[in-house]
Amino acid sequence: MTLTLVGLGLGAVEDITLRGLKAVQAADAVYLEIYTSALIDSNLQELEAFFGKRIVEADRICVEEHNEAILEEAREKNVVILVAGDPLSATTHCDICLRAIKNKVEVEVIHNASIINSVGRTGLQLYRFGEVVSIPLFEENWAPTSFYDKIVRNMQANMHTLCLLDIKVKERSIENLMAKRMVFEPPRYMTVNVAIEQIRQVDEKRREIAMSARAVGVARLGSKTAKIVAGTLEQLYKVDFGAPLHSLVICAPELHDIEEEYFRHYNYETCKSQCSESENI
Amino acid sequence: MTLTLVGLGLGAVEDITLRGLKAVQAADAVYLEIYTSALIDSNLQELEAFFGKRIVEADRICVEEHNEAILEEAREKNVVILVAGDPLSATTHCDICLRAIKNKVEVEVIHNASIINSVGRTGLQLYRFGEVVSIPLFEENWAPTSFYDKIVRNMQANMHTLCLLDIKVKERSIENLMAKRMVFEPPRYMTVNVAIEQIRQVDEKRREIAMSARAVGVARLGSKTAKIVAGTLEQLYKVDFGAPLHSLVICAPELHDIEEEYFRHYNYETCKSQCSESENI
C-alpha cells in the first residue's frame, strides 16, 4: 500500500493531473492539507463531490505531530494527501516522505504547478529570481527581519525576489495553547498590502528598499480571477487584490526588454481602470 | 478563438492536467514544442493516440521566427501549443504570449510542474535555492563561463544551484546554416557527466568549485525511471544516469538536518548497488 502526495496545482478542481486523479480514485483514505497553502477556486465540498470520496481536512497538528497515524494507515491502505500547489514545496511534506521511507512505507509524489514556477506568468524571467522569501505576519513583540535582508541581497545581485506571504490556519492563541484548548483563531492570509506595510516598517530604520522600488503583486494566480498588477511598492500598496492567496515579487533593479514590456502591460497606471476585472494572462 | 499554452508536466501523457486535456480536446490545431524541453515517458505518436488528434512538431524556427503564422491561425481557431514541463519557464513562450496580447489574440496559459519546483524531490529545500543556471554545451572556441560564476556566488551565499543542462534539437551545422539547407544535426542532451566535466574544465583555471563539493544528479524526474543520486561531483561523474533529461544540483556548503538525511538516502555509496534501478522517490 502507498502514501501518495498529490499536488492540486493552482486553483480549481480541474488543475489536478490525470495521474493525480487516478491516485485519488484508487485511494482508501484522502486527506486535504490546509495549512501550508489554500485552495483558490474550490473547497472541500467541491473536491468531495468531484472525486466522489470523503475527504478529511488535515491541519498542522495532524500532519506534523500525529503523522505516525497517517503512516500507519498507509501500511494497509492507499492513502492520499492532497496539497494545493506542488506537494514538495513545503518542508513539512519532505519530512513526512522521509519518515515514510524510514518506516518502509511506499511513497509516491505527484507533482503539479506551484507559485514557484507559475510566477513566470508575470513576465519576469524565472532564471532571474534569487532566493525565495517568506514574509511572516508581524505579531506584537515579534517582527523578524531576515526577509528584508534577503530581498536587499537579491536586489544587489540584480535579481527578482518572490515573496511568499504568511498563512495562519487553525492557529491557537497563547491562552488556548496553554490551556490545551482546541479552539482556533479564524484563518488569516497576508495581503500584498500588509506585506508592503511590513517592508516599509523595517525600512524606516534600514533605508535600503525605497517605496519607489518596482514590484508585481499577484493574487489567485492561475485561477479565473487572477490579478497581476505591476508598479512601485507605493502604488501597489493602494491596490485591492481581493481574496487570498496573494504573493509579491520585488523586481530586480534592471528589467530585460521582455520584462519591461510585461511590466508595462500589467502596469498600475494602465490597468487602474480595469483593475477590478479578471486577468487571464 | 484562443492560443493556449498547455504544460505537459514531467513526463508521461497522464501528467497533463484535466484543464489542459480539455483545452487539447477543444483545439482545432495542436503543436508540440520540442526545443526548450523534451518528453520523457512519451512521444509524439503516443500523445496523438491519447488525444486522438494530429499533433505538429514545432521547432525553434517555427515558434521563434514564424510565430506570426501561429498567431494568425489563433485568430480563427483554437490553437494549443503543448510544452513539456511548465509553459512559461522558457523565455520563448513569454515572448509569444506578449506578441499575442499585442496582436489582440486571446491567450491562456495552463501551468504544470517543471524541474524548477519538482527539484524539491531531492529533499533539498526550495527556499534555499539561489539563481537557476543554464550550462551550455561547450563548442570548439566557445566555452562561456558565466554559469560557473553564478554557482560560486550561490555557494558563497550558502545556497543550492539548480543547473539546467543544454538541449540541442534541430540545430543546423554552420555549413548547413550558411547554405540555408534544412538539414539538422541529431538531437543532443547534456548529461550530468558532461556538465561536471565542463565545471571541472573551468575550474582548472578558477579553483573555486572543488570536485569534492556535494551535488545531486537528477534524471527523468517525476517519471517511473527517475534516478536521483547524491554525492561529490567526483563521485557523480562516474554514475550512468541513463536517458535524458538530466539536471544537476550543486549543494550549498551546509545542509539542514532533513536535507542531510535525504542526501544520505540518495547517497552514491548507499545506492551504488541498486543505482541502475528505478527510484520512485
Side-chain angles (χ1 to χ4, degrees), chain B residues 95-123:
Chain B
D95 190 42
I96 196 170
C97 281
L98 199 59
R99 280 165 191 267
I101 293 166
K102 280 188 190 164
N103 286 285
K104 311 230 178 292
V105 173
E106 205 181 316
V107 191
E108 222 198 311
V109 179
I110 298 175
H111 292 282
N112 209 322
S114 67
I115 183 72
I116 302 255
N117 62 356
S118 312
V119 71
R121 193 77 158 245
T122 59

PDB file of all heavy atoms in Angstrom, chain B residues 95-123:
ATOM      1  N   ASP B  95       7.566  35.375 -24.623  1.00  0.00           N
ATOM      2  CA  ASP B  95       7.634  36.232 -25.792  1.00  0.00           C
ATOM      3  C   ASP B  95       6.406  36.048 -26.688  1.00  0.00           C
ATOM      4  O   ASP B  95       5.764  37.012 -27.097  1.00  0.00           O
ATOM      5  CB  ASP B  95       8.927  35.897 -26.552  1.00  0.00           C
ATOM      6  CG  ASP B  95       9.203  36.902 -27.640  1.00  0.00           C
ATOM      7  OD1 ASP B  95       9.007  38.107 -27.385  1.00  0.00           O
ATOM      8  OD2 ASP B  95       9.600  36.488 -28.739  1.00  0.00           O
ATOM      9  N   ILE B  96       6.042  34.791 -26.946  1.00  0.00           N
ATOM     10  CA  ILE B  96       4.911  34.554 -27.847  1.00  0.00           C
ATOM     11  C   ILE B  96       3.599  35.024 -27.187  1.00  0.00           C
ATOM     12  O   ILE B  96       2.720  35.573 -27.863  1.00  0.00           O
ATOM     13  CB  ILE B  96       4.826  33.085 -28.347  1.00  0.00           C
ATOM     14  CG1 ILE B  96       3.901  32.992 -29.572  1.00  0.00           C
ATOM     15  CG2 ILE B  96       4.395  32.114 -27.288  1.00  0.00           C
ATOM     16  CD1 ILE B  96       3.941  31.662 -30.275  1.00  0.00           C
ATOM     17  N   CYS B  97       3.498  34.899 -25.865  1.00  0.00           N
ATOM     18  CA  CYS B  97       2.306  35.406 -25.150  1.00  0.00           C
ATOM     19  C   CYS B  97       2.185  36.915 -25.336  1.00  0.00           C
ATOM     20  O   CYS B  97       1.098  37.441 -25.573  1.00  0.00           O
ATOM     21  CB  CYS B  97       2.420  35.136 -23.649  1.00  0.00           C
ATOM     22  SG  CYS B  97       2.037  33.453 -23.212  1.00  0.00           S
ATOM     23  N   LEU B  98       3.314  37.577 -25.209  1.00  0.00           N
ATOM     24  CA  LEU B  98       3.327  39.030 -25.316  1.00  0.00           C
ATOM     25  C   LEU B  98       2.910  39.468 -26.714  1.00  0.00           C
ATOM     26  O   LEU B  98       2.115  40.399 -26.888  1.00  0.00           O
ATOM     27  CB  LEU B  98       4.742  39.524 -25.003  1.00  0.00           C
ATOM     28  CG  LEU B  98       4.889  40.983 -24.620  1.00  0.00           C
ATOM     29  CD1 LEU B  98       4.064  41.324 -23.399  1.00  0.00           C
ATOM     30  CD2 LEU B  98       6.364  41.297 -24.358  1.00  0.00           C
ATOM     31  N   ARG B  99       3.446  38.761 -27.723  1.00  0.00           N
ATOM     32  CA  ARG B  99       3.060  39.074 -29.104  1.00  0.00           C
ATOM     33  C   ARG B  99       1.572  38.856 -29.315  1.00  0.00           C
ATOM     34  O   ARG B  99       0.910  39.622 -30.015  1.00  0.00           O
ATOM     35  CB  ARG B  99       3.808  38.180 -30.089  1.00  0.00           C
ATOM     36  CG  ARG B  99       5.203  38.655 -30.363  1.00  0.00           C
ATOM     37  CD  ARG B  99       5.987  37.539 -31.028  1.00  0.00           C
ATOM     38  NE  ARG B  99       7.386  37.884 -31.059  1.00  0.00           N
ATOM     39  CZ  ARG B  99       7.963  38.492 -32.089  1.00  0.00           C
ATOM     40  NH1 ARG B  99       7.252  38.819 -33.143  1.00  0.00           N
ATOM     41  NH2 ARG B  99       9.234  38.786 -32.060  1.00  0.00           N
ATOM     42  N   ALA B 100       1.055  37.804 -28.704  1.00  0.00           N
ATOM     43  CA  ALA B 100      -0.378  37.515 -28.839  1.00  0.00           C
ATOM     44  C   ALA B 100      -1.192  38.652 -28.225  1.00  0.00           C
ATOM     45  O   ALA B 100      -2.132  39.160 -28.849  1.00  0.00           O
ATOM     46  CB  ALA B 100      -0.700  36.186 -28.154  1.00  0.00           C
ATOM     47  N   ILE B 101      -0.805  39.071 -27.023  1.00  0.00           N
ATOM     48  CA  ILE B 101      -1.525  40.157 -26.342  1.00  0.00           C
ATOM     49  C   ILE B 101      -1.526  41.406 -27.228  1.00  0.00           C
ATOM     50  O   ILE B 101      -2.560  42.038 -27.449  1.00  0.00           O
ATOM     51  CB  ILE B 101      -0.869  40.472 -24.977  1.00  0.00           C
ATOM     52  CG1 ILE B 101      -1.039  39.288 -24.019  1.00  0.00           C
ATOM     53  CG2 ILE B 101      -1.451  41.736 -24.363  1.00  0.00           C
ATOM     54  CD1 ILE B 101      -0.155  39.354 -22.775  1.00  0.00           C
ATOM     55  N   LYS B 102      -0.343  41.731 -27.757  1.00  0.00           N
ATOM     56  CA  LYS B 102      -0.213  42.926 -28.612  1.00  0.00           C
ATOM     57  C   LYS B 102      -1.084  42.830 -29.856  1.00  0.00           C
ATOM     58  O   LYS B 102      -1.592  43.823 -30.348  1.00  0.00           O
ATOM     59  CB  LYS B 102       1.232  43.087 -29.059  1.00  0.00           C
ATOM     60  CG  LYS B 102       2.113  43.718 -28.003  1.00  0.00           C
ATOM     61  CD  LYS B 102       3.460  44.009 -28.625  1.00  0.00           C
ATOM     62  CE  LYS B 102       4.461  44.423 -27.575  1.00  0.00           C
ATOM     63  NZ  LYS B 102       5.837  44.327 -28.121  1.00  0.00           N
ATOM     64  N   ASN B 103      -1.186  41.607 -30.389  1.00  0.00           N
ATOM     65  CA  ASN B 103      -1.977  41.400 -31.601  1.00  0.00           C
ATOM     66  C   ASN B 103      -3.443  41.091 -31.295  1.00  0.00           C
ATOM     67  O   ASN B 103      -4.181  40.645 -32.154  1.00  0.00           O
ATOM     68  CB  ASN B 103      -1.362  40.273 -32.430  1.00  0.00           C
ATOM     69  CG  ASN B 103      -0.090  40.719 -33.129  1.00  0.00           C
ATOM     70  OD1 ASN B 103      -0.135  41.442 -34.111  1.00  0.00           O
ATOM     71  ND2 ASN B 103       1.044  40.332 -32.578  1.00  0.00           N
ATOM     72  N   LYS B 104      -3.805  41.335 -30.037  1.00  0.00           N
ATOM     73  CA  LYS B 104      -5.187  41.118 -29.596  1.00  0.00           C
ATOM     74  C   LYS B 104      -5.690  39.695 -29.856  1.00  0.00           C
ATOM     75  O   LYS B 104      -6.853  39.476 -30.205  1.00  0.00           O
ATOM     76  CB  LYS B 104      -6.143  42.146 -30.210  1.00  0.00           C
ATOM     77  CG  LYS B 104      -5.665  43.591 -30.069  1.00  0.00           C
ATOM     78  CD  LYS B 104      -6.730  44.481 -29.517  1.00  0.00           C
ATOM     79  CE  LYS B 104      -6.265  45.922 -29.331  1.00  0.00           C
ATOM     80  NZ  LYS B 104      -5.262  46.078 -28.268  1.00  0.00           N
ATOM     81  N   VAL B 105      -4.785  38.737 -29.734  1.00  0.00           N
ATOM     82  CA  VAL B 105      -5.179  37.326 -29.786  1.00  0.00           C
ATOM     83  C   VAL B 105      -5.319  36.870 -28.336  1.00  0.00           C
ATOM     84  O   VAL B 105      -4.443  37.145 -27.511  1.00  0.00           O
ATOM     85  CB  VAL B 105      -4.098  36.472 -30.493  1.00  0.00           C
ATOM     86  CG1 VAL B 105      -4.424  34.989 -30.390  1.00  0.00           C
ATOM     87  CG2 VAL B 105      -3.953  36.906 -31.951  1.00  0.00           C
ATOM     88  N   GLU B 106      -6.422  36.232 -28.017  1.00  0.00           N
ATOM     89  CA  GLU B 106      -6.623  35.807 -26.629  1.00  0.00           C
ATOM     90  C   GLU B 106      -5.644  34.680 -26.277  1.00  0.00           C
ATOM     91  O   GLU B 106      -5.450  33.760 -27.065  1.00  0.00           O
ATOM     92  CB  GLU B 106      -8.060  35.323 -26.453  1.00  0.00           C
ATOM     93  CG  GLU B 106      -8.528  35.455 -25.001  1.00  0.00           C
ATOM     94  CD  GLU B 106      -9.942  34.964 -24.825  1.00  0.00           C
ATOM     95  OE1 GLU B 106     -10.792  35.303 -25.674  1.00  0.00           O
ATOM     96  OE2 GLU B 106     -10.185  34.240 -23.849  1.00  0.00           O
ATOM     97  N   VAL B 107      -5.029  34.783 -25.114  1.00  0.00           N
ATOM     98  CA  VAL B 107      -4.043  33.783 -24.699  1.00  0.00           C
ATOM     99  C   VAL B 107      -4.464  33.184 -23.384  1.00  0.00           C
ATOM    100  O   VAL B 107      -4.939  33.882 -22.482  1.00  0.00           O
ATOM    101  CB  VAL B 107      -2.655  34.416 -24.444  1.00  0.00           C
ATOM    102  CG1 VAL B 107      -1.603  33.327 -24.276  1.00  0.00           C
ATOM    103  CG2 VAL B 107      -2.281  35.359 -25.539  1.00  0.00           C
ATOM    104  N   GLU B 108      -4.274  31.889 -23.254  1.00  0.00           N
ATOM    105  CA  GLU B 108      -4.462  31.256 -21.964  1.00  0.00           C
ATOM    106  C   GLU B 108      -3.239  30.406 -21.672  1.00  0.00           C
ATOM    107  O   GLU B 108      -2.624  29.864 -22.593  1.00  0.00           O
ATOM    108  CB  GLU B 108      -5.729  30.385 -21.964  1.00  0.00           C
ATOM    109  CG  GLU B 108      -6.515  30.541 -20.667  1.00  0.00           C
ATOM    110  CD  GLU B 108      -7.492  29.413 -20.456  1.00  0.00           C
ATOM    111  OE1 GLU B 108      -8.234  29.101 -21.397  1.00  0.00           O
ATOM    112  OE2 GLU B 108      -7.506  28.853 -19.343  1.00  0.00           O
ATOM    113  N   VAL B 109      -2.864  30.315 -20.392  1.00  0.00           N
ATOM    114  CA  VAL B 109      -1.710  29.509 -20.016  1.00  0.00           C
ATOM    115  C   VAL B 109      -2.168  28.489 -18.985  1.00  0.00           C
ATOM    116  O   VAL B 109      -2.809  28.849 -17.998  1.00  0.00           O
ATOM    117  CB  VAL B 109      -0.586  30.374 -19.413  1.00  0.00           C
ATOM    118  CG1 VAL B 109       0.595  29.510 -19.000  1.00  0.00           C
ATOM    119  CG2 VAL B 109      -0.133  31.441 -20.404  1.00  0.00           C
ATOM    120  N   ILE B 110      -1.886  27.227 -19.239  1.00  0.00           N
ATOM    121  CA  ILE B 110      -2.256  26.186 -18.278  1.00  0.00           C
ATOM    122  C   ILE B 110      -0.965  25.603 -17.704  1.00  0.00           C
ATOM    123  O   ILE B 110      -0.200  24.928 -18.384  1.00  0.00           O
ATOM    124  CB  ILE B 110      -3.145  25.118 -18.947  1.00  0.00           C
ATOM    125  CG1 ILE B 110      -4.435  25.819 -19.416  1.00  0.00           C
ATOM    126  CG2 ILE B 110      -3.459  23.982 -17.968  1.00  0.00           C
ATOM    127  CD1 ILE B 110      -5.381  24.956 -20.204  1.00  0.00           C
ATOM    128  N   HIS B 111      -0.737  25.952 -16.441  1.00  0.00           N
ATOM    129  CA  HIS B 111       0.533  25.625 -15.804  1.00  0.00           C
ATOM    130  C   HIS B 111       0.643  24.153 -15.433  1.00  0.00           C
ATOM    131  O   HIS B 111      -0.357  23.435 -15.379  1.00  0.00           O
ATOM    132  CB  HIS B 111       0.721  26.485 -14.552  1.00  0.00           C
ATOM    133  CG  HIS B 111       0.932  27.930 -14.867  1.00  0.00           C
ATOM    134  ND1 HIS B 111       2.130  28.419 -15.297  1.00  0.00           N
ATOM    135  CD2 HIS B 111       0.083  28.986 -14.829  1.00  0.00           C
ATOM    136  CE1 HIS B 111       2.025  29.725 -15.502  1.00  0.00           C
ATOM    137  NE2 HIS B 111       0.780  30.093 -15.236  1.00  0.00           N
ATOM    138  N   ASN B 112       1.871  23.732 -15.161  1.00  0.00           N
ATOM    139  CA  ASN B 112       2.108  22.366 -14.714  1.00  0.00           C
ATOM    140  C   ASN B 112       3.439  22.329 -13.975  1.00  0.00           C
ATOM    141  O   ASN B 112       4.129  23.345 -13.883  1.00  0.00           O
ATOM    142  CB  ASN B 112       2.106  21.401 -15.912  1.00  0.00           C
ATOM    143  CG  ASN B 112       1.635  20.000 -15.524  1.00  0.00           C
ATOM    144  OD1 ASN B 112       1.951  19.512 -14.444  1.00  0.00           O
ATOM    145  ND2 ASN B 112       0.879  19.366 -16.388  1.00  0.00           N
ATOM    146  N   ALA B 113       3.780  21.159 -13.456  1.00  0.00           N
ATOM    147  CA  ALA B 113       5.051  21.018 -12.761  1.00  0.00           C
ATOM    148  C   ALA B 113       6.210  21.190 -13.729  1.00  0.00           C
ATOM    149  O   ALA B 113       6.094  20.881 -14.908  1.00  0.00           O
ATOM    150  CB  ALA B 113       5.132  19.641 -12.110  1.00  0.00           C
ATOM    151  N   SER B 114       7.316  21.703 -13.234  1.00  0.00           N
ATOM    152  CA  SER B 114       8.539  21.761 -14.026  1.00  0.00           C
ATOM    153  C   SER B 114       9.700  21.422 -13.104  1.00  0.00           C
ATOM    154  O   SER B 114       9.528  21.317 -11.893  1.00  0.00           O
ATOM    155  CB  SER B 114       8.726  23.147 -14.641  1.00  0.00           C
ATOM    156  OG  SER B 114       8.964  24.100 -13.628  1.00  0.00           O
ATOM    157  N   ILE B 115      10.864  21.264 -13.669  1.00  0.00           N
ATOM    158  CA  ILE B 115      12.024  20.917 -12.855  1.00  0.00           C
ATOM    159  C   ILE B 115      12.254  21.985 -11.767  1.00  0.00           C
ATOM    160  O   ILE B 115      12.712  21.673 -10.670  1.00  0.00           O
ATOM    161  CB  ILE B 115      13.282  20.742 -13.748  1.00  0.00           C
ATOM    162  CG1 ILE B 115      14.505  20.302 -12.936  1.00  0.00           C
ATOM    163  CG2 ILE B 115      13.601  21.998 -14.526  1.00  0.00           C
ATOM    164  CD1 ILE B 115      14.463  18.898 -12.462  1.00  0.00           C
ATOM    165  N   ILE B 116      11.874  23.222 -12.078  1.00  0.00           N
ATOM    166  CA  ILE B 116      12.104  24.344 -11.156  1.00  0.00           C
ATOM    167  C   ILE B 116      11.450  24.102  -9.797  1.00  0.00           C
ATOM    168  O   ILE B 116      12.005  24.453  -8.764  1.00  0.00           O
ATOM    169  CB  ILE B 116      11.552  25.668 -11.767  1.00  0.00           C
ATOM    170  CG1 ILE B 116      12.203  25.962 -13.107  1.00  0.00           C
ATOM    171  CG2 ILE B 116      11.632  26.827 -10.767  1.00  0.00           C
ATOM    172  CD1 ILE B 116      13.222  27.039 -13.153  1.00  0.00           C
ATOM    173  N   ASN B 117      10.246  23.525  -9.769  1.00  0.00           N
ATOM    174  CA  ASN B 117       9.661  23.235  -8.451  1.00  0.00           C
ATOM    175  C   ASN B 117       9.814  21.759  -8.057  1.00  0.00           C
ATOM    176  O   ASN B 117       9.951  21.445  -6.878  1.00  0.00           O
ATOM    177  CB  ASN B 117       8.202  23.722  -8.330  1.00  0.00           C
ATOM    178  CG  ASN B 117       7.248  23.060  -9.298  1.00  0.00           C
ATOM    179  OD1 ASN B 117       7.639  22.273 -10.149  1.00  0.00           O
ATOM    180  ND2 ASN B 117       5.975  23.392  -9.182  1.00  0.00           N
ATOM    181  N   SER B 118       9.854  20.858  -9.037  1.00  0.00           N
ATOM    182  CA  SER B 118       9.902  19.435  -8.699  1.00  0.00           C
ATOM    183  C   SER B 118      11.253  18.996  -8.169  1.00  0.00           C
ATOM    184  O   SER B 118      11.391  17.889  -7.654  1.00  0.00           O
ATOM    185  CB  SER B 118       9.549  18.596  -9.915  1.00  0.00           C
ATOM    186  OG  SER B 118       8.385  19.090 -10.513  1.00  0.00           O
ATOM    187  N   VAL B 119      12.249  19.862  -8.303  1.00  0.00           N
ATOM    188  CA  VAL B 119      13.569  19.528  -7.787  1.00  0.00           C
ATOM    189  C   VAL B 119      13.515  19.368  -6.255  1.00  0.00           C
ATOM    190  O   VAL B 119      14.417  18.785  -5.652  1.00  0.00           O
ATOM    191  CB  VAL B 119      14.616  20.588  -8.243  1.00  0.00           C
ATOM    192  CG1 VAL B 119      14.407  21.910  -7.540  1.00  0.00           C
ATOM    193  CG2 VAL B 119      16.032  20.080  -8.034  1.00  0.00           C
ATOM    194  N   GLY B 120      12.412  19.809  -5.645  1.00  0.00           N
ATOM    195  CA  GLY B 120      12.162  19.575  -4.225  1.00  0.00           C
ATOM    196  C   GLY B 120      12.208  18.077  -3.892  1.00  0.00           C
ATOM    197  O   GLY B 120      12.445  17.703  -2.747  1.00  0.00           O
ATOM    198  N   ARG B 121      11.998  17.251  -4.890  1.00  0.00           N
ATOM    199  CA  ARG B 121      12.055  15.796  -4.769  1.00  0.00           C
ATOM    200  C   ARG B 121      13.405  15.297  -4.248  1.00  0.00           C
ATOM    201  O   ARG B 121      13.500  14.204  -3.699  1.00  0.00           O
ATOM    202  CB  ARG B 121      11.826  15.214  -6.168  1.00  0.00           C
ATOM    203  CG  ARG B 121      11.556  13.752  -6.218  1.00  0.00           C
ATOM    204  CD  ARG B 121      10.139  13.473  -5.810  1.00  0.00           C
ATOM    205  NE  ARG B 121       9.693  12.195  -6.315  1.00  0.00           N
ATOM    206  CZ  ARG B 121       8.722  12.040  -7.208  1.00  0.00           C
ATOM    207  NH1 ARG B 121       8.097  13.077  -7.685  1.00  0.00           N
ATOM    208  NH2 ARG B 121       8.363  10.833  -7.585  1.00  0.00           N
ATOM    209  N   THR B 122      14.450  16.087  -4.460  1.00  0.00           N
ATOM    210  CA  THR B 122      15.778  15.702  -3.976  1.00  0.00           C
ATOM    211  C   THR B 122      15.886  15.829  -2.463  1.00  0.00           C
ATOM    212  O   THR B 122      16.855  15.369  -1.873  1.00  0.00           O
ATOM    213  CB  THR B 122      16.859  16.620  -4.585  1.00  0.00           C
ATOM    214  OG1 THR B 122      16.546  17.972  -4.212  1.00  0.00           O
ATOM    215  CG2 THR B 122      16.923  16.497  -6.087  1.00  0.00           C
ATOM    216  N   GLY B 123      14.899  16.497  -1.844  1.00  0.00           N
ATOM    217  CA  GLY B 123      14.963  16.738  -0.411  1.00  0.00           C
ATOM    218  C   GLY B 123      15.652  18.055  -0.088  1.00  0.00           C
ATOM    219  O   GLY B 123      15.647  18.498   1.059  1.00  0.00           O
TER     220      GLY B 123
END
